[in-house]
């Protein structure tokens, strides 16, 4: 119950302050109303009724801002109390606000502010109890000082306790972040290890398939039975490799990510990509030259992603009235892909954290190609990619 009450008070600080200040205000107003008629009893003849009311409000109203500005509120109330002493007005119930403000300073501000507030209160008590006709009332001063010191120490304890709890919460949050980071690092290391194992498994099985297929090709005329057994071995090895790949790749998938089973895009989807970019407001022209060649699905996906990333960058940084051209030139041994725009991308500063060009280079390097991204003289930007074609990949690095 107390935990819920504390949480509610933290969410509604103004209402909480009004609730605990309301009884204090009510008692003080009753006190003023009871004896306020005889201002002489309070030594406030020079103030008059309105001046007396203004002094009481000056001692009380600043408490509503005590939570946000404890030092400033304490200073205002202390100065008002000192003015009250100079005018010879007797202590009021409202003067207890000095102790309330002192407690708040001690509980929310560093120790030097708490010590200063405590000394100011002690000086005020010395002035009040040293004005009596018979001199300093030592007994009353000691009692009031003990009461003020008790409140001051309670504020110091509350400050220490809150800082201790904040430290515990900070350490708990830091430990939780470190634990999550260690878990992510461990998962990344494990996935890297699995990826290396996957490479070894696939390379071994593919090597076996190639050897068996070559043997079947040599024996198909002279020994059909041996060729049949070799092809059966190819089939069995391929199935094992596929099953192993599915199992390991399943481990590499990110947790909680919705899998996407749609076919990966290729060259046949380039026209649709260009049309989609045109609908977004960027005029794009697609040109294809040379004799089109049949490319592996991986290279087709690479070409599609490069065009997609380059046109997306033009949409982001090209500015209004920019145009783009996508050129694909089939050569004998390589495919030349060129995406050019006439926008202001060359003048746009590079942003940290962008991974588009890095992703392009990684995709093309997988097939032994290269990517260049550079500004165009006269304005604009150009991405040029070269992809080898007409090679099954046997000669590339595994």
């Amino acid at each position: 119950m107390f935990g819920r009450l504390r949480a509610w008070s933290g969410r509604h600080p103004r209402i909480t302050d009004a609730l605990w200040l309301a009884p204090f205000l009510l008692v003080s107003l009753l006190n003023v109303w009871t004896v306020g008629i005889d201002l002489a009893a309070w030594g406030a003849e020079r103030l008059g009724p309105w001046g007396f009311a203004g002094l009481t409000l000056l001692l009380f109203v600043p408490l509503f801002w005590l939570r946000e500005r404890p030092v400033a509120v304490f200073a205002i109330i202390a100065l008002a109390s000192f003015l009250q002493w100079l005018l010879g007005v007797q202590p009021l119930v409202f003067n207890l606000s000095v102790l309330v403000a002192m407690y708040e300073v001690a509980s929310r501000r560093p120790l030097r502010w708490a010590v200063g507030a405590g000394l100011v209160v002690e000086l005020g008590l010395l002035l009040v109890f040293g004005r009596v006709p018979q001199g300093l009332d030592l007994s009353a001063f000691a009692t009031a000082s003990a009461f003020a010191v008790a409140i001051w120490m309670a504020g110091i304890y509350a400050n220490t306790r809150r800082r201790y709890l904040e430290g515990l919460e900070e350490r708990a949050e830091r430990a939780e972040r470190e634990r999550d980071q260690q878990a992510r690092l461990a998962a990344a290391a494990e996935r890297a290890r699995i990826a290396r194992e996957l490479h070894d498994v696939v390379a071994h099985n593919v090597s076996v398939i190639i050897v068996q297929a070559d043997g079947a090709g040599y024996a198909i005329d002279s020994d059909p039975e041996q060729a049949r057994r070799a092809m059966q071995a190819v089939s069995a090895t391929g199935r094992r490799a596929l099953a192993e790949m599915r199992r390991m790749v399943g481990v590499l998938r990110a947790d909680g990510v919705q899998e996407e089973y749609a076919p990966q895009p290729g060259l046949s989807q380039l026209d649709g990509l260009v049309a989609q970019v045109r609908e977004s407001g960027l005029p794009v022209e697609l040109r294809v030259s040379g004799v089109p060649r049949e490319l592996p699905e991986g290279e087709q996906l690479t070409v599609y992603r490069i065009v997609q990333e380059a046109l997306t960058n033009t949409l982001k940084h090209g500015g209004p009235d920019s145009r783009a051209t996508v050129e694909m030139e089939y050569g004998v041994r390589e495919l030349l892909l060129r995406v050019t725009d006439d926008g202001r991308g060359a003048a746009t500063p590079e942003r940290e954290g962008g991974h588009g060009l890095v992703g392009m280079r990684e995709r093309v390097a997988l097939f032994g190609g290269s990517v260049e991204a550079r500004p165009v003289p006269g304005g604009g930007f150009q991405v040029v990619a070269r992809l080898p074609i007409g090679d099954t990949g046997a000669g590339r690095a595994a």
Side-chain angles (χ1 to χ4, degrees):
M1 181 182 67
F2 290 104
R4 291 195 297 270
L5 182 60
R6 181 179 179 182
W8 181 88
S9 63
R11 292 192 302 268
H12 306 86
R14 290 295 184 186
I15 299 178
T16 304
D17 293 342
L19 288 177
W20 75 265
L21 288 174
F24 182 63
L25 175 63
L26 180 61
V27 172
S28 301
L29 290 177
L30 289 176
N31 193 354
V32 172
W33 176 262
T34 302
V35 298
I37 299 175
D38 186 8
L39 295 178
W42 295 87
E45 303 93 336
R46 290 178 295 175
L47 292 178
W50 290 107
F52 187 70
L55 177 63
T56 55
L57 290 177
L58 189 59
L59 291 172
F60 173 76
V61 172
L63 292 178
F64 285 99
W65 290 272
L66 184 60
R67 189 186 298 267
E68 292 83 3
R69 301 179 178 276
V71 175
V73 170
F74 174 80
I76 292 173
I77 295 177
L79 288 175
S81 299
F82 182 67
L83 177 62
Q84 173 186 351
W85 180 82
L86 290 177
L87 294 175
V89 180
Q90 296 298 318
L92 306 172
V93 178
F94 282 113
N95 290 118
L96 291 175
S97 60
V98 177
L99 300 179
V100 175
M102 181 193 66
Y103 172 86
E104 199 69 14
V105 171
S107 65
R108 293 185 178 274
R109 290 295 179 264
L111 182 61
R112 62 179 183 274
W113 291 105
V115 172
L119 292 178
V120 169
V121 170
E122 288 297 320
L123 177 60
L125 292 176
L126 184 62
L127 292 176
V128 170
F129 291 102
R131 174 174 279 183
V132 293
Q134 63 273 22
L136 176 63
D137 189 346
L138 188 59
S139 176
F141 173 74
T143 302
S145 295
F147 183 66
V149 169
I151 295 177
W152 182 82
M153 293 183 64
I156 295 294
Y157 173 78
N159 194 343
T160 305
R161 178 71 175 175
R162 184 176 62 256
R163 292 180 181 273
Y164 173 73
L165 293 177
E166 290 175 353
L168 289 180
E169 293 176 358
E170 182 181 356
R171 285 195 294 270
E173 292 176 358
R174 184 168 60 249
E176 185 176 357
R177 289 195 301 268
E178 292 177 354
R179 182 196 62 192
D180 295 341
Q181 184 179 11
Q182 292 295 330
R184 288 193 296 270
L185 291 176
E190 183 66 15
R191 287 175 178 175
R193 183 186 66 82
I194 293 173
R196 292 192 296 269
E197 292 180 357
L198 176 61
H199 175 273
D200 296 339
V201 169
V202 172
H204 170 74
N205 287 314
V206 171
S207 299
V208 172
I209 290 173
I210 292 174
V211 171
Q212 294 291 342
D214 290 342
Y218 285 118
I220 192 169
D221 294 328
S222 60
D223 192 349
E225 181 62 25
Q226 183 180 356
R228 186 180 64 82
R229 290 195 299 269
M231 294 308 298
Q232 289 176 348
V234 168
S235 176
T237 304
R239 292 178 186 275
R240 286 196 303 270
L242 183 59
E244 192 73 13
M245 185 181 298
R246 284 175 176 172
R247 182 178 69 83
M248 290 191 174
V249 172
V251 179
L252 295 176
R253 289 171 181 159
D255 298 334
V257 177
Q258 183 67 32
E259 299 296 338
E260 182 178 343
Y261 295 100
Q264 295 292 345
L267 297 182
S268 59
Q269 282 78 35
L270 275 181
D271 291 332
L273 174 62
V274 170
Q276 181 181 2
V277 174
R278 287 196 192 106
E279 292 176 358
S280 301
L282 175 66
V284 182
E285 182 181 358
L286 175 61
R287 302 172 186 169
V288 180
S289 61
V291 180
R293 306 280 294 276
E294 184 67 27
L295 300 181
E297 293 182 357
E299 290 195 29
Q300 293 190 39
L301 176 60
T302 298
V303 172
Y304 182 91
R305 294 304 186 196
I306 291 175
V307 175
Q308 184 182 44
E309 180 67 26
L311 293 179
T312 301
N313 288 337
T314 302
L315 282 171
K316 289 181 179 178
H317 311 299
D321 301 327
S322 59
R323 305 177 64 88
T325 304
V326 179
E327 299 174 271
M328 293 178 57
E329 181 180 340
Y330 287 89
V332 178
R333 290 190 172 275
E334 73 174 10
L335 170 64
L336 178 62
L337 176 64
R338 186 184 299 111
V339 183
T340 310
D341 66 71
D342 59 359
R344 62 187 182 194
T348 303
E350 294 186 5
R351 298 180 180 180
E352 296 183 0
H355 303 286
L357 295 178
V358 176
M360 291 182 190
R361 294 189 178 99
E362 290 180 352
R363 288 179 180 273
V364 174
L366 182 64
F367 298 97
S370 62
V371 173
E372 295 180 4
R374 57 178 180 267
V376 177
F381 204 80
Q382 185 180 73
V383 176
V384 180
R386 300 177 184 272
L387 279 164
I389 58 177
D391 185 6
T392 59
R396 299 175 196 155

